[in-house]
Amino acid sequence: MSSPATAGLLEFFDTLWGETEGYVYLPVKEGQKVRKFFLHWPEKREAVARHVLKWAAVDGVEVFYSPALYKSMSAKNENVLGSHVAWVEFDGNYPKDWPEDTAPLPSIEVQSSAELNRHCYWILDEFQGRKEIEKINRALAYALSADTSGWDANQFLRPPFSVHRKRKPITVKIVAERTELAPYSVGDFEHI
């Protein structure tokens, strides 16, 4: 029987990557050193969750993941296969009232540390390639005043159930799931 954290991670990753085959990038940072880990998805699905939880439990270590899937075991941008989601990262400036006239309501929100530090994800109705993901991410980042250094397709973020240890340790958590919303099409972002 799996733990609630394992089940939650698998549900989150299933939403992000679905049944699309590729490699998932799961870097681990210890001090200034970043170790690159790749696992094949969906074949190594359970191993992905074990990897995140294993490294999340180690003091002085931070584990990350990339929302995109990769063609092979290389984290270079041109190696990105694509993604089922678009995303932005807010570094302390998450809006108190969501500006729906600017961007659609996110499908999933993850609190990465303090309350206004969030990653927002929009589930897409079709898997999109690297260039389309970057186009949407960049538009969202600038329109929402989010982190404009985080729109690239090979960006890595903190997964839920990991621990943010930069200052005081905080468990990264999912704070909003709007799975009742229909997946978004590329056209839903054209006005941004």
Side-chain angles (χ1 to χ4, degrees):
M1 191 161 123
S2 67
S3 72
T6 301
L9 265 175
L10 290 174
E11 182 180 337
F12 178 74
F13 289 143
D14 284 344
T15 300
L16 264 59
W17 300 320
E19 293 298 316
T20 304
E21 285 192 44
Y23 288 89
V24 295
Y25 179 40
L26 303 157
V28 171
K29 186 176 181 186
E30 188 169 8
Q32 296 305 310
K33 182 181 175 186
V34 176
R35 295 171 61 193
K36 297 178 180 182
F37 291 91
F38 288 88
L39 290 168
H40 192 266
W41 182 269
E43 176 190 352
K44 299 290 185 184
R45 180 177 174 269
E46 286 80 13
V48 170
R50 284 195 305 271
H51 171 88
V52 169
L53 296 175
K54 171 187 144 184
W55 289 106
V58 179
D59 283 340
V61 173
E62 306 221 39
V63 62
F64 297 89
Y65 85 102
S66 176
L69 286 165
Y70 293 76
K71 299 172 191 172
S72 63
M73 293 189 286
S74 167
K76 291 184 179 178
N77 189 284
E78 59 270 13
N79 195 45
V80 169
L81 184 64
S83 182
H84 288 282
V85 296
W87 64 87
V88 296
E89 178 178 8
F90 290 98
D91 286 329
N93 64 331
Y94 176 82
K96 293 197 186 289
D97 294 310
W98 188 261
E100 288 189 61
D101 56 328
T102 302
L105 204 56
S107 309
I108 301 171
E109 295 178 31
V110 173
Q111 185 177 325
S112 59
S113 61
E115 184 182 356
L116 300 179
N117 290 63
R118 295 199 186 177
H119 307 153
C120 294
Y121 301 90
W122 289 263
I123 299 170
L124 304 173
D125 61 356
E126 291 183 23
F127 187 79
Q128 297 295 325
R130 174 179 59 89
K131 289 184 180 180
E132 191 62 45
I133 290 298
E134 289 189 334
K135 180 180 170 187
I136 296 168
N137 288 355
R138 182 174 42 240
L140 286 165
Y142 280 96
L144 295 168
S145 299
D147 182 353
T148 55
S149 70
W151 54 261
D152 47 314
N154 64 336
Q155 180 71 23
F156 56 86
L157 303 168
R158 297 174 192 278
F161 306 97
S162 67
V163 180
H164 184 159
R165 291 189 170 90
K166 217 179 222 180
R167 294 170 197 87
K168 179 181 123 186
I170 297 173
T171 300
V172 179
K173 61 187 176 185
I174 298 170
V175 292
E177 286 185 275
R178 300 179 186 94
T179 51
E180 75 281 359
L181 296 175
Y184 293 104
S185 70
V186 170
D188 291 323
F189 303 95
E190 286 179 354
H191 72 284
I192 302 172

